[in-house]
Amino acid sequence: MIFKEKLTKLRKSNGMSQEELAEKIEVSRQAISKWELGDSIPDSDKIVALSKIFNVTTDYFLKDEIENPTATIIIQDSSEKKIIISKLLRFFETLSYAIGLLVAWTIWIKECNKFLYCEGRAPMGAVAILIGFLVQSLGIACHSFANYFHKSKLTLGQTYLNLIFLVFIPLSTLFTMCLNFRLAPYPYY
């Protein structure tokens, strides 16, 4: 469907005469008639005004391949949904990194409290680290899915927070192993 057909269809379906439409967008009735006959095309500001009056997008008027005025709205809703899903996944990404770190600490501290000293508790440290990494891997999956839905970038604060949460266990484990020859998910002196 081309512009002249779309305009005529929308005007008639909304019960407007050419004069009523002309008054609303401040042109003559003859201008509306010429547009509907295909003798001329409105300026861009008039197309924007028409789209507001009929509650359709300007794409509906400008692109001949769009037959249904609601089709463009559905596409926009779908795009907005993808952005919202992406933002939620980004939130869960950061949350799972933090929870993974807390889980590793909790398991380690719980096991250490059973004994007066944590000497020789390397296997439990390994379990704590492994479980922490498994929880954090959910964050990595959320990151991948968020990129699939929408290629939005993280804020600088989110990026630093994710980096701290994700790198803390490996760095502290390496630090503890090198200095104390123990396996722990946090720096252990």
Side-chain angles (χ1 to χ4, degrees), residues 10-23:
L10 285 172
R11 180 182 59 77
K12 287 181 178 179
S13 67
N14 282 291
M16 278 190 218
S17 68
Q18 288 182 342
E19 285 182 358
E20 291 171 332
L21 181 56
E23 284 178 23

Side-chain angles (χ1 to χ4, degrees), residues 11-188:
R11 180 182 59 77
K12 287 181 178 179
S13 67
N14 282 291
M16 278 190 218
S17 68
Q18 288 182 342
E19 285 182 358
E20 291 171 332
L21 181 56
E23 284 178 23
K24 288 188 176 194
I25 59 172
E26 299 174 354
V27 295
S28 66
R29 186 203 57 78
Q30 289 81 5
I32 302 291
S33 178
K34 285 182 180 180
W35 297 345
E36 289 183 355
L37 291 172
D39 293 340
S40 66
I41 298 173
D43 294 332
S44 60
D45 62 326
K46 300 304 178 191
I47 291 177
V48 170
L50 287 168
S51 69
K52 288 180 181 176
I53 289 169
F54 294 120
N55 198 24
V56 296
T57 63
T58 55
D59 281 352
Y60 174 70
F61 282 122
L62 298 173
K63 295 180 179 179
D64 293 342
E65 65 269 10
I66 299 176
E67 297 285 329
N68 186 356
T70 57
T72 54
I73 294 169
I74 291 169
I75 290 168
Q76 288 173 347
D77 288 345
S78 175
S79 177
E80 289 173 9
K81 286 178 185 175
K82 286 182 178 182
I83 291 170
I84 291 169
I85 290 170
S86 176
K87 287 183 178 182
L88 281 172
L89 286 170
R90 297 282 187 204
F91 170 75
F92 286 118
E93 173 187 357
T94 303
L95 188 64
S96 65
Y97 293 156
I99 290 173
L101 186 60
L102 291 174
V103 165
W105 284 347
T106 304
I107 292 170
W108 177 256
I109 290 169
K110 181 181 173 190
E111 287 302 311
C112 282
N113 284 339
K114 287 183 181 178
F115 303 96
L116 207 49
Y117 298 99
C118 290
E119 300 294 328
R121 298 298 296 162
M124 199 61 227
V127 170
I129 292 166
L130 179 65
I131 292 173
F133 273 139
L134 287 175
V135 174
Q136 287 185 335
S137 66
L138 291 174
I140 294 168
C142 286
H143 177 80
S144 299
F145 284 123
N147 281 341
Y148 171 76
F149 283 107
H150 188 261
K151 299 278 187 206
S152 63
K153 292 186 176 182
L154 291 172
T155 63
L156 194 58
Q158 269 184 312
T159 303
Y160 286 139
L161 196 60
N162 287 351
L163 189 62
I164 290 168
F165 286 149
L166 199 55
V167 175
F168 189 86
I169 292 177
L171 288 180
S172 63
T173 301
L174 186 64
F175 171 80
T176 306
M177 284 176 57
C178 290
L179 293 181
N180 297 327
F181 303 107
R182 293 187 183 128
L183 196 57
Y186 58 89
Y188 188 75

